[in-house]
């Protein structure tokens, strides 16, 4: 899922010490490497000279590099100089487009989530929709970057998406007008004496947005604050430093997250500093299958430190660290390379496992439909293996009562819990094994 990435500070260094002490095994390995590179050169020349249409050198090299990286895991990739510039623009929280978080599935573009207050959201595009054509041209054969490029464009220009939606018998067209997308990373609303803070992504605006939201809470609610809902649903992640800042804002001490690479010396730990922005107010974090990466770091930290109750459904499970490594200062683009994994304060790996909520609450909407559960990291080809077997949810399970309808059942339950109108039910008893007899 190329939409998910996590940048961390630091570079990549190579040690050239003791070059003259190269062992015979290294000589063999080096010889084998040169043989493989010669093979690549032979294939490159054959394709360049004999393929059915002329192909440019940079087209072949870009594809070869991406093929190498994408065969490792779903999140390592090569960005050419334009893609690298686009990525930097997006992390700043302002870019041109439609406002969609998307991935590729079965040759189609799948909508993970429309961003709030964007052309896509206003046009009624929903999570789980598939985009089969752009301006009447099928996206079959395009990779995700190519499809996204076709959807981008100057503000106030038109684009038409052909949508496939579950429950609809036929595809339908949705005309949209592109706009400058300014992602409001943090949103605040007041529910009586409860503050609801929604973080839509972790970009360079998150820290400032959270500080402004907290100031509004202190001004509008003040000492009457009953509790805080931190809504991380459908938040695909973003910058590691912003995830650490948000976690730190609600913790007084203790570890937030650790990253561990292939060498023990690569391990890094990030700890909270004293002081919570809203004191010890009771807290609930909402997550679902669209909560990934940075969202899972925050949820895992607050869960392990027993600072908050986690409600909703299991998160996506993207527990790997991508380091963005500029090439030639960015002139030749950049590598987005998986270099480590994330671990919660208790040492749990997030990779392909996700964060299991304290209380499992399936989402129900007013029309009695359920949210699209989508796919998890464990479903992606070439994903890094989980370090332990994924266990089914063993905690409490809450469902709406028969006949009741909600705009947002997960949020409603969280608000009721913070007001003392709901208590966390006991976990459902484990199924007892059925006795059997051997004839």
């Amino acid at each position: 899922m190329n939409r998910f990435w996590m940048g961390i500070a630091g570079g990549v260094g190579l040690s050239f010490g003791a070059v003259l002490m190269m062992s015979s095994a290294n000589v063999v390995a080096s010889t084998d490497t040169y043989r493989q590179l010669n093979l690549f050169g032979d294939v490159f020349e054959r394709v360049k000279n004999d393929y059915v249409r002329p192909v440019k050198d940079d087209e072949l090299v870009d594809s070869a590099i991406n093929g190498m990286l994408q065969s490792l895991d779903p999140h390592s990739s090569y960005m050419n100089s334009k893609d690298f510039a686009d990525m930097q623009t997006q992390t700043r929280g302002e870019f041109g487009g439609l406002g969609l978080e998307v991935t590729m599935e079965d040759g189609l573009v799948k909508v993970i989530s429309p961003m709030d207050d964007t052309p896509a959201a206003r046009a009624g595009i929903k999570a789980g929709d598939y985009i089969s054509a752009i301006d009447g041209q099928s996206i079959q054969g395009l990779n995700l970057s190519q499809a996204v490029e076709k959807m981008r464009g100057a503000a106030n220009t038109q684009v038409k998406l052909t949508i496939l939606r579950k429950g609809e018998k036929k595809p339908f067209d949705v005309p949209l007008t592109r706009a400058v997308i300014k992602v409001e990373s943090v949103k605040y609303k007041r529910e009586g004496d409860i503050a609801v803070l929604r973080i839509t992504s972790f970009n360079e605006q998150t820290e400032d947005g959270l500080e402004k939201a907290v100031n509004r809470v202190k001004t509008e609610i003040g000492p009457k604050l009953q509790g805080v809902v931190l809504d991380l649903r459908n938040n695909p992640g973003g910058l590691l430093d912003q995830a650490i800042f948000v976690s730190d804002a609600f913790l007084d001490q203790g570890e937030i997250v650790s990253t561990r690479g292939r060498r023990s010396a690569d391990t890094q730990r990030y700890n909270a500093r004293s002081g919570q922005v809203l004191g010890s107010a009771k807290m609930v974090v909402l997550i679902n299958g669209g909560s990934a990466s940075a969202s899972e770091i925050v949820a895992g930290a607050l869960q392990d430190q027993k600072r908050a109750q986690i409600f909703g459904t299991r998160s996506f499970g993207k527990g790997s660290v991508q380091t963005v490594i500029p090439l030639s200062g960015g002139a030749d683009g950049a590598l987005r390379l998986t270099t480590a994994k994330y671990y919660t304060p208790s040492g749990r790996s997030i990779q392909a496992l996700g964060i299991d909520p304290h209380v499992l609450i399936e989402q129900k909407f007013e029309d009695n439909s359920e949210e699209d559960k989508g796919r998890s990291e464990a479903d992606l080809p070439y994903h890094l293996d989980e370090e332990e077997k994924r266990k089914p949810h063993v905690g409490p399970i809450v469902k709406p009562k028969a006949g009741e309808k909600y705009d947002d059942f997960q949020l409603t339950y969280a608000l009721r819990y913070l007001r003392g109108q709901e208590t966390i039910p006991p976990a459902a008893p484990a199924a007892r094994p059925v006795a059997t007899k051997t004839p």
Side-chain angles (χ1 to χ4, degrees), residues 1 289 314-317 352 373-380 390:
M1 260 183 174
R314 190 187 295 264
S315 62
F316 184 79
K373 295 180 177 62
R375 302 174 76 186
S376 71
E377 174 82 8
D379 298 320
L380 299 180
R390 180 167 172 162

Side-chain angles (χ1 to χ4, degrees), residues 71-76 317 319-322 338-342 349-353 377-378 380-387:
S71 69
L72 300 175
D73 69 83
H75 309 296
S76 293
S320 59
V321 184
Q322 279 67 53
T338 298
T339 54
K341 292 182 180 178
Y342 292 118
S349 171
I350 295 171
Q351 176 58 27
L353 297 170
E377 174 82 8
L380 299 180
Y382 306 115
H383 73 272
L384 297 177
D385 291 336
E386 58 270 33
E387 297 181 15

Side-chain angles (χ1 to χ4, degrees), residues 42-83:
D42 290 343
V43 173
F44 181 90
E45 287 300 322
R46 184 57 60 93
V47 172
K48 181 179 176 181
N49 293 329
D50 298 336
Y51 187 62
V52 67
R53 66 170 176 82
V55 286
K56 296 179 180 179
D57 287 359
D58 59 353
E59 179 184 353
L60 292 176
V61 171
D62 285 4
S63 298
I65 295 173
N66 255 321
M68 173 176 63
L69 293 168
Q70 291 175 359
S71 69
L72 300 175
D73 69 83
H75 309 296
S76 293
S77 63
Y78 167 68
M79 296 175 283
N80 60 31
S81 56
K82 183 180 184 305
D83 293 337

